[in-house]
Amino acid sequence: MKTEMSSVDIKYIVEELQSLVGARIDKVYHDGNILRVKLHKAGEGRKDLLIQAGKRVHLTTYIKESPSPSSFAMLLRKHLSGRFLDGIEQYDFDRIVKLKVGEYTLIAELFKRGNVVLIDGESKILGALRYEEFKDRAIKPGHEYKLPPARESPVDVEWERFKELLLEEEVEVVRALARKFNMGGLFAEEILLRAGIEKTRTAKELSEEELKLIFEKMKEVFSAPKKAQIVYKDGELFDVLPIELKQYESLEKKYFETFSEALDEYFGKITVDEAKKELTKRLEDKKRSLLHTLKRQEEMMKGFEAQAEKNQALGDLIYANFMLVENLLSEFKKAVEKLGWDEFKRRIEEGKKAGNKVAMMVKGVNPKDKAVTIELNGQKITLYLDRSIGENAELYYEKAKKAKHKLEGAKEAYKKTLKKIQEVEKLIEEELKKEINVKKLERRKKKWFEKFRWFISSEGFLVIGGKDATTNEMVVKKYMSENDWYCHADVYGAPHVVIKEGKKASEKTLFEACQFAVSMSKAWSRGVFSEDAYYADPSQVTKQAPSGEYLGKGAFMVYGKRNWMHGLPLKLAVGIVKYEDEELPMCGPVDAVKAHTNRYIVIRPGRLKKSELVKKLKHILEKWGYKVSEEDLMAILPPGNGDVEEIRE
């Protein structure tokens, strides 16, 4: 079962993670040997990049509750939060990933024990997950960070160099490939399988044509189209790969759109299983101990039951053969009194040799206890010569009684142990039902307009607005058409708002869109309660700046007559609305939300931090039976603090 990513895996994931370039780093979380970098990508929203030292790097939806930030997390937040990811690359086909953030570089070492190191522009170490010192380098603050010696890349190597490197080795060709090109045994075997060459042969015994074929198949493997997958063996997780492998043809597979999704599902499942095991480890240990006790008690009960049955049967046997046993007792007693025990024993032995029936019945003589053991109907019975036949029988009945008493005690103890096991099993079940500290973010596929600020007007028109310079630019240049209306608040930094097919709408939708424009502007964070806005024809909106001026990204000019609306209230509502057969959390003007749902929460600018407001809204919506993530609520709310003014149920 795979436990860490290979250099090949890292090649493919780094290619895929290029989509993160330009994302803003929000926060960095640290727990054990795992870092999670929370990013925001314009137009796409939240992304979580997970780095596990010595193991893996990929986007994740499995979020572990983080403890109080460590000193390393605080160091990373200080230097990286608010900055943008400028680049991500693999170092020389090695298990090293470098993330460029301004003048800083975050280096993820995914080999051996692994590490994560932050360096400045001069390669000086600012901090690390773990400080270490080796023969040839030291991971300590202030020291220069030294990368390991460069490894040959199977992707870039030329034919002559490839041949030269392989022929240097005296080992099997599979080991030579894995060692010289840092690809690992799995991919070395795959290349040789495709080439049809036995992996145990040495490179030097191969012909040039065979070496050439290996070279070609290596290039084929490392240029193969991506087909992210999890491989299962006997129904269990076995491997996770970016491409198809011939050696796995017969195994079950599950395919994914991205390699990150495959890695996340594979390692996330392992993480959750480990967390569950840890959660119940103490209880499982207790259950094992109780099961061991239960087994001992079962054996004891069987023993007591056998003793009771045996002794009861022996007592009954004595009475069933009353006359015979009584005569034997009398004869044995007289013989011992007359001859003594030694002579009695000698006479018994002589009688056995002579075939005497009574002597043949005797199986043992015990002078100390004044007892003779006989065999009767295949059962051995010890008779005490100083006791009557009734007293001898009673001895066995008494033993049976004691065994039965012990059996009852053992049964009670057994029941108690069984009850304890059931209680522990119930506790295990309850623990497993608890929300473990690793949870999967269920990210539904969002509608195209959810990358913007949006709402559905009371008349059913879709209204969209920008969130930042990038999405403001998109709203106007890509999504606004001649059949729409354009709205804007008379506030610096307000979003561009567009009513789709707005020319068909009445003044009610225009009012709602303008109110939305002022509410989603910086006026909300300033805590004001009313502002002005206007609407205009799309033809009036242009990128053409006045002479001598320049319009930056997201900025537009509006020429001609503007239709003003004054004193618009900064007031919105949040509710769950049905749109295109899907329930969506929506934040818009009160009348718009009210038209689509009977339950909604009215909010105003206020003193409650946005994060706290989100928690409050989430709690109310959950009480109504809606499961909404804090991330989704955060995305639809206006910028700045607020308060709940009214709850309508």
Side-chain angles (χ1 to χ4, degrees):
M1 183 180 180
K2 186 177 207 161
T3 58
E4 60 193 39
M5 291 175 71
S6 68
S7 295
V8 182
D9 296 330
I10 293 166
K11 168 194 177 292
Y12 279 91
I13 197 66
V14 165
E15 288 172 4
E16 191 173 285
L17 294 178
Q18 295 308 310
S19 62
L20 291 180
V21 173
R24 187 186 74 248
I25 294 174
D26 183 4
K27 260 187 184 178
V28 182
Y29 301 89
H30 168 216
D31 184 16
N33 65 342
I34 291 179
L35 282 185
R36 178 166 55 89
V37 184
K38 186 179 173 186
L39 303 121
H40 182 272
K41 180 76 185 215
E44 297 180 32
R46 173 179 173 176
K47 306 281 183 181
D48 289 273
L49 181 67
L50 182 144
I51 301 169
Q52 184 175 8
K55 300 283 185 184
R56 54 184 172 131
V57 57
H58 55 82
L59 290 174
T60 186
T61 56
Y62 285 89
I63 307 301
K64 188 174 183 180
E65 291 178 7
S66 298
S68 300
S70 65
S71 57
F72 186 48
M74 294 302 289
L75 175 80
L76 294 177
R77 290 180 188 183
K78 175 186 173 183
H79 292 293
L80 305 182
S81 290
R83 293 175 176 266
F84 293 88
L85 183 60
D86 298 321
I88 180 166
E89 64 182 48
Q90 179 182 19
Y91 169 70
D92 281 337
F93 205 74
D94 208 339
R95 288 192 288 165
I96 296 175
V97 177
K98 298 164 76 174
L99 284 76
K100 285 286 296 174
V101 184
E103 68 268 34
Y104 303 106
T105 303
L106 190 64
I107 300 171
E109 296 181 351
L110 304 177
F111 53 85
K112 294 183 181 177
R113 192 179 175 202
N115 210 334
V116 182
V117 185
L118 180 67
I119 63 172
D120 64 14
E122 297 177 347
S123 294
K124 289 290 187 292
I125 297 171
L126 299 174
L129 193 67
R130 184 169 42 253
Y131 296 120
E132 301 173 298
E133 192 162 357
F134 305 98
K135 184 180 178 181
D136 53 349
R137 66 181 189 137
I139 306 294
K140 290 184 177 180
H143 284 243
E144 181 184 358
Y145 178 78
K146 292 180 181 178
L147 287 159
R151 308 291 288 270
E152 201 75 47
S153 167
V155 177
D156 303 321
V157 69
E158 298 292 338
W159 157 243
E160 291 298 335
R161 178 63 175 155
F162 169 81
K163 184 170 69 169
E164 177 191 341
L165 288 169
L166 271 197
L167 292 174
E168 286 177 355
E169 293 285 342
E170 296 284 351
V171 296
E172 299 95 331
V173 66
V174 67
R175 290 175 63 192
L177 269 176
R179 183 186 298 172
K180 285 294 185 181
F181 299 99
N182 199 29
M183 67 177 70
L186 179 71
F187 286 93
E189 288 189 12
E190 178 69 17
I191 291 162
L192 294 170
L193 180 65
R194 294 189 186 196
I197 292 172
E198 178 56 49
K199 65 182 182 180
T200 56
R201 294 174 67 188
T202 62
K204 288 186 177 179
E205 69 182 78
L206 297 173
S207 68
E208 182 143 335
E209 288 74 21
E210 288 175 316
L211 288 171
K212 189 78 172 177
L213 183 57
I214 294 171
F215 177 75
E216 288 168 359
K217 291 300 179 183
M218 182 179 76
K219 294 296 182 180
E220 177 187 288
V221 167
F222 294 122
S223 61
K226 189 170 66 177
K227 199 166 185 182
Q229 60 193 265
I230 291 176
V231 181
Y232 297 85
K233 193 171 185 179
D234 301 325
E236 299 292 328
L237 291 173
F238 183 65
D239 207 342
V240 56
L241 295 163
I243 59 173
E244 289 275 25
L245 293 186
K246 191 173 181 180
Q247 58 193 298
Y248 287 164
E249 277 179 346
S250 63
L251 297 180
E252 180 192 349
K253 302 176 190 76
K254 180 180 177 183
Y255 295 96
F256 296 81
E257 284 187 25
T258 68
F259 192 29
S260 258
E261 288 173 339
L263 288 163
D264 192 36
E265 188 68 23
Y266 181 87
F267 285 108
K269 178 73 165 56
I270 291 171
T271 303
V272 168
D273 287 346
E274 285 174 352
K276 284 182 178 178
K277 284 176 187 174
E278 190 61 34
L279 198 66
T280 59
K281 186 178 182 300
R282 181 183 58 81
L283 291 171
E284 291 287 359
D285 288 344
K286 188 174 181 181
K287 182 182 172 181
R288 272 192 294 275
S289 175
L290 287 168
L291 285 169
H292 183 67
T293 301
L294 195 73
K295 190 175 180 180
R296 280 203 331 269
Q297 289 170 337
E298 284 175 348
E299 290 169 356
M300 286 171 67
M301 285 192 298
K302 286 176 184 175
F304 291 141
E305 194 169 15
Q307 285 177 32
E309 288 176 359
K310 182 182 178 182
N311 284 292
Q312 179 72 39
L314 291 175
D316 292 344
L317 191 61
I318 289 172
Y319 278 114
N321 295 273
F322 189 90
M323 292 301 294
L324 173 62
V325 174
E326 189 173 45
N327 287 336
L328 287 172
L329 274 172
S330 177
E331 291 300 319
F332 290 159
K333 188 176 180 182
K334 287 177 183 176
V336 167
E337 286 174 352
K338 183 179 178 181
L339 303 171
W341 282 101
D342 290 340
E343 183 60 21
F344 175 76
K345 283 173 70 176
R346 192 182 68 77
R347 294 278 183 99
I348 290 291
E349 292 303 318
E350 285 180 353
K352 285 182 181 181
K353 289 174 184 177
N356 182 277
K357 287 184 179 180
V358 173
M360 295 287 285
M361 290 177 69
V362 177
K363 299 300 177 186
V365 176
N366 185 348
K368 184 179 177 184
D369 293 335
K370 299 177 182 177
V372 177
T373 300
I374 65 169
E375 186 176 300
L376 187 61
N377 293 355
Q379 298 290 322
K380 288 183 179 179
I381 303 175
T382 299
L383 300 174
Y384 295 90
L385 305 188
D386 59 348
R387 296 175 187 247
S388 68
I389 186 170
E391 288 172 333
N392 269 287
E394 189 59 33
L395 282 174
Y396 287 105
Y397 288 140
E398 188 61 32
K399 285 180 182 179
K401 187 176 177 182
K402 284 180 181 178
K404 285 176 184 176
H405 182 70
K406 287 178 182 179
L407 177 62
E408 290 306 311
K411 282 181 178 178
E412 283 301 311
Y414 182 85
K415 286 178 186 176
K416 286 179 182 178
T417 304
L418 203 58
K419 188 178 178 182
K420 285 178 183 177
I421 290 170
Q422 290 167 348
E423 287 170 354
V424 170
E425 284 175 340
K426 190 176 179 183
L427 286 172
I428 290 170
E429 193 178 331
E430 287 171 1
E431 285 293 315
L432 290 174
K433 282 179 184 176
K434 286 181 182 177
E435 190 171 329
I436 59 173
N437 66 349
V438 180
K439 59 182 179 180
K440 190 177 192 303
L441 291 180
E442 297 296 340
R443 290 197 176 120
R444 60 181 175 81
K445 190 171 182 180
K446 294 191 176 183
K447 307 285 186 184
W448 68 267
F449 52 79
E450 288 187 88
K451 66 169 72 74
F452 307 112
R453 301 197 182 282
W454 67 277
F455 76 95
I456 310 300
S457 79
S458 53
E459 296 177 313
F461 292 90
L462 174 63
V463 181
I464 60 173
K467 288 185 171 183
D468 49 32
T470 300
T471 50
N472 270 322
E473 191 90 8
M474 290 171 68
V475 164
V476 175
K477 290 179 76 173
K478 186 176 179 180
Y479 290 98
M480 188 172 70
S481 67
E482 60 183 12
N483 296 320
D484 303 338
W485 278 114
Y486 169 84
C487 307
H488 197 265
D490 190 24
V491 178
Y492 176 75
H496 300 302
V497 174
V498 170
I499 307 170
K500 296 303 295 171
E501 298 296 319
K503 295 290 173 65
K504 299 175 185 176
S506 73
E507 193 169 314
K508 184 170 180 60
T509 292
L510 284 164
F511 177 85
E512 289 170 2
C514 286
Q515 187 194 4
F516 186 71
V518 298
S519 296
M520 289 296 180
S521 73
K522 289 185 178 178
W524 185 285
S525 57
R526 294 205 308 267
V528 300
F529 284 87
S530 67
E531 277 292 356
D532 302 335
Y534 64 87
Y535 61 94
D537 191 272
S539 61
Q540 295 173 243
V541 185
T542 177
K543 200 75 178 173
Q544 186 179 344
S547 180
E549 293 185 24
Y550 167 76
L551 294 177
K553 188 177 183 181
F556 292 86
M557 288 298 298
V558 180
Y559 294 100
K561 183 186 175 184
R562 305 180 186 191
N563 303 288
W564 286 95
M565 291 188 178
H566 300 285
L568 295 168
L570 275 77
K571 187 177 184 180
L572 296 169
V574 175
I576 305 297
V577 303
K578 195 164 187 178
Y579 185 73
E580 295 180 347
D581 296 323
E582 193 171 347
E583 289 186 331
L584 307 173
M586 185 175 92
C587 180
V590 177
D591 286 347
V593 177
K594 184 180 178 181
H596 299 289
T597 180
N598 295 324
R599 289 175 163 181
Y600 56 90
I601 306 139
V602 180
I603 60 172
R604 282 256 197 194
R607 295 182 179 179
L608 204 61
K609 284 183 180 179
K610 190 175 180 180
S611 58
E612 294 302 316
L613 180 60
V614 163
K615 284 183 172 65
K616 192 169 185 178
L617 295 173
K618 184 174 185 285
H619 177 72
I620 296 167
L621 292 170
E622 283 179 347
K623 195 172 73 173
W624 292 344
Y626 297 114
K627 189 175 181 180
V628 185
S629 71
E630 290 185 12
E631 180 189 353
D632 283 349
L633 288 173
M634 187 70 76
I636 63 173
L637 292 183
N641 300 340
D643 279 324
V644 172
E645 185 179 84
E646 185 184 0
I647 300 171
R648 295 300 298 267
E649 299 189 53

